[in-house]
Amino acid sequence: MDLRDSPDEARFRGRLRSWLADNLPSEPEPATLSERWPYMLAFQRKMYRGGWIALSYPEEVGGQGLGLMEEAILGEELGRANAPTMIPLGHLGRPLLSHGTAEQRRRYLPPLLASEEIWCQGFSEPQAGSDLAALRTRAVLDGDEWVLSGQKVWTSYGAFADYCLLLARTDPKAVRHRGISAFVVPLRTAGITVRPIVLANGDEEFAEIHLDDVRIPAENLLGKPTDGWRIAMDVVSYERGAVDVGYLAKFDRYLTELAGLVRASGREPDRSTLQTLGEAAAGLEVLRMHCLRSLSERVEGGSPGAESSIDKLLMTRVEQTLMSAGLELLDDVTTPDRSEWFDRYLYGRAGSIYGGSAQIQRNILAQRVLALPRGPRA
Ligand SMILES: Cc1cc2nc3c(=O)[nH]c(=O)nc-3n(C[C@H](O)[C@H](O)[C@H](O)COP(=O)(O)OP(=O)(O)OC[C@H]3O[C@@H](n4cnc5c(N)ncnc54)[C@H](O)[C@@H]3O)c2cc1C
């Protein structure tokens, strides 16, 4: 593949760069989530109004009708410009696009893409994380309503969300993953309690969602009954792509920042410092090249699929290498930035858990990409 921008892509990049130069917030990103949330939301909405969000979604649902390459350029330029953190919403719109009815797409996608209505992902449960097919939240059809009961956990931004894309068991007799359906659940419905989970740093980024005989209209089912598993796999495959979640940009920014801090320390970097930075930079370049390769395959058609596990593993490796490098190097150059890097380091540990743990990604690659047998031969 040709790694250079086409003339159209170069024009797009140029327009985006000048928009960002004129529109980036002048204040720095606040440290606590309660202050960061309105800051992120304001910038994301401004970007949407400027025509820079939902680039690869069709125009009729509020997107820009462009391609995946433009999404990748957006990620790169946001990182380059040190733009605010984006709220991850795009991957939650994908199942509405692929499985939603015309009415569901019309009703839910435009406000989701505009960040006017915030969505969260209600998959994990206390006894169903890696083994998601073990989920026990139930949904029973009663006339023209579904009645939901159960509990979700680790729901990112659950306390800020208006809607939840929620998985529930609708057919207890079916083989585990076949009896699951996906629902659009308005979180301000009677019977729902959202309990924020406070992280060690004080942020309330996660929530538990308790559902106690919650009644939602029958038309809030997404896709057909029992499509839930396919929908879930579709969502997590988008969640696992560094380009889809804009993480290439974030890592670029961290690497540049780290190199700048080492330079600013005024000390001649020793061999080990250069090696640490070099490893982080090489890992990032491998991730970038891999992302471009898988993007060019996706441009030819199709969703990310099981191969997105490779993106997730590489992405996790880069994040954790970078953050460890940050701690190691800043210990040497002792600056006030160290506490920020310590937070990033701790957050980076979550990379090998969310969206399916690193072990689960390896299982997926072994079974679904390499077609290896599931266990030792008898
Ligand atoms: C930052 C973050 C954000 C998240 N956001 C959301 C969200 O918005 N919505 C949501 O639904 N969930 C969310 N989660 C939850 C996440 O999907 C689960 O934490 C993850 O799937 C792992 O499940 P678990 O925590 O139950 O761990 P477990 O499944 O109990 O796993 C524990 C350990 O056992 C290993 N293990 C388990 N089974 C196997 C196996 N078969 N082979 C090898 N090793 C195995 C795992 O790799 C892990 O190391 C989030 C998690 C994090 C950290």
Side-chain angles (χ1 to χ4, degrees), residues 1 18 78 90 98 112 127 134 142 197 226 247 253 256 279 289 300 311 313 316 352:
M1 71 177 286
S18 63
L78 289 175
S98 56
L112 179 153
Q127 303 302 324
D142 179 21
I197 300 174
T226 75
Y247 273 21
R253 190 169 84 218
T256 311
E279 268 167 30
M289 290 300 132
E300 302 297 314
D311 299 54
L313 284 171
T316 303
S352 40

Side-chain angles (χ1 to χ4, degrees), residues 75-76 78-80 82-83 240-243 245-259 277 280-281 283-288 291 311-323 341 344 347-348 351 354:
E76 280 176 10
L78 289 175
R80 190 174 173 275
N82 199 6
R240 287 169 186 160
V243 169
V245 292
Y247 273 21
L248 273 182
K250 188 167 88 167
F251 298 159
D252 252 339
R253 190 169 84 218
Y254 290 164
L255 183 63
T256 311
E257 197 182 307
L258 203 51
L277 276 175
L284 181 55
E285 209 46 32
V286 170
L287 176 66
R288 190 193 320 282
C291 286
D311 299 54
K312 177 75 199 306
L313 284 171
L314 286 175
M315 184 163 85
T316 303
R317 190 173 71 184
V318 170
E319 180 162 26
Q320 295 183 348
T321 309
L322 257 176
M323 301 316 156
W341 275 88
R344 291 175 185 169
Y347 204 90
Y354 69 79

Side-chain angles (χ1 to χ4, degrees), residues 46-363:
K46 190 176 190 185
M47 281 193 66
Y48 181 79
R49 289 194 298 275
W52 302 108
I53 294 275
L55 297 176
S56 59
Y57 277 77
E59 286 169 86
E60 62 269 23
V61 295
Q64 296 298 320
L66 297 170
L68 292 168
M69 293 317 285
E70 282 83 1
E71 296 274 13
I73 292 171
L74 174 69
E76 280 176 10
E77 293 302 321
L78 289 175
R80 190 174 173 275
N82 199 6
T85 310
M86 304 303 285
I87 301 165
L89 287 173
H91 66 292
L92 293 172
R94 297 285 171 190
L96 288 163
L97 200 57
S98 56
H99 288 79
T101 59
E103 175 52 23
Q104 285 171 331
R105 288 201 294 269
R106 190 201 58 74
R107 162 64 189 86
Y108 297 117
L109 272 171
L112 179 153
L113 299 176
S115 317
E116 293 298 340
E117 289 175 349
I118 303 300
W119 283 59
C120 62
Q121 179 180 321
F123 292 4
S124 305
E125 298 185 2
Q127 303 302 324
S130 300
D131 187 11
L132 186 58
L135 65 85
R136 291 192 292 194
T137 293
R138 290 278 307 274
V140 179
L141 192 60
D142 179 21
D144 57 2
E145 289 179 326
W146 289 97
V147 184
L148 281 75
S149 314
Q151 189 203 327
K152 297 292 168 181
V153 71
W154 309 127
T155 315
S156 296
Y157 303 118
F160 300 88
D162 304 295
Y163 286 90
C164 182
L165 177 68
L166 186 134
L167 298 180
R169 187 164 301 286
T170 42
D171 183 355
K173 295 203 194 80
V175 179
R176 295 189 328 150
H177 61 282
R178 297 226 176 92
I180 295 171
S181 304
F183 295 92
V184 174
V185 179
L187 285 173
R188 276 169 261 301
T189 305
I192 296 185
T193 311
V194 178
R195 293 204 184 118
I197 300 174
V198 185
L199 306 191
N201 66 2
D203 282 349
E204 294 184 351
E205 189 174 316
F206 298 114
E208 292 177 349
I209 299 181
H210 296 259
L211 303 119
D212 189 8
D213 285 338
V214 175
R215 289 184 168 267
I216 57 169
E219 64 262 25
N220 283 28
L221 175 73
L222 185 60
K224 296 193 291 297
T226 75
D227 269 352
W229 189 254
R230 256 195 18 217
I231 290 174
M233 294 305 105
D234 207 25
V235 171
V236 291
S237 66
Y238 282 104
E239 191 187 4
R240 287 169 186 160
V243 169
D244 297 300
V245 292
Y247 273 21
L248 273 182
K250 188 167 88 167
F251 298 159
D252 252 339
R253 190 169 84 218
Y254 290 164
L255 183 63
T256 311
E257 197 182 307
L258 203 51
L261 286 169
V262 173
R263 248 183 249 117
S265 75
R267 292 217 309 254
E268 188 64 27
D270 58 20
R271 191 186 166 86
S272 130
T273 303
L274 290 174
Q275 183 145 348
T276 305
L277 276 175
E279 268 167 30
L284 181 55
E285 209 46 32
V286 170
L287 176 66
R288 190 193 320 282
M289 290 300 132
H290 172 78
C291 286
L292 286 172
R293 187 181 58 187
S294 49
L295 258 188
S296 65
E297 282 165 13
R298 279 166 60 188
V299 167
E300 302 297 314
S303 59
E307 283 81 1
S308 64
S309 294
I310 303 174
D311 299 54
K312 177 75 199 306
L313 284 171
L314 286 175
M315 184 163 85
T316 303
R317 190 173 71 184
V318 170
E319 180 162 26
Q320 295 183 348
T321 309
L322 257 176
M323 301 316 156
S324 305
L327 276 200
E328 196 183 314
L329 297 177
L330 292 178
D331 203 27
D332 280 344
V333 298
T334 334
T335 71
D337 304 275
R338 193 165 193 275
S339 71
E340 200 178 339
W341 275 88
F342 187 58
D343 278 353
R344 291 175 185 169
Y345 170 83
L346 288 180
Y347 204 90
R349 307 313 300 167
S352 40
I353 304 173
Y354 69 79
S357 70
Q359 289 79 8
I360 294 305
Q361 306 307 326
R362 291 193 179 92
N363 285 352

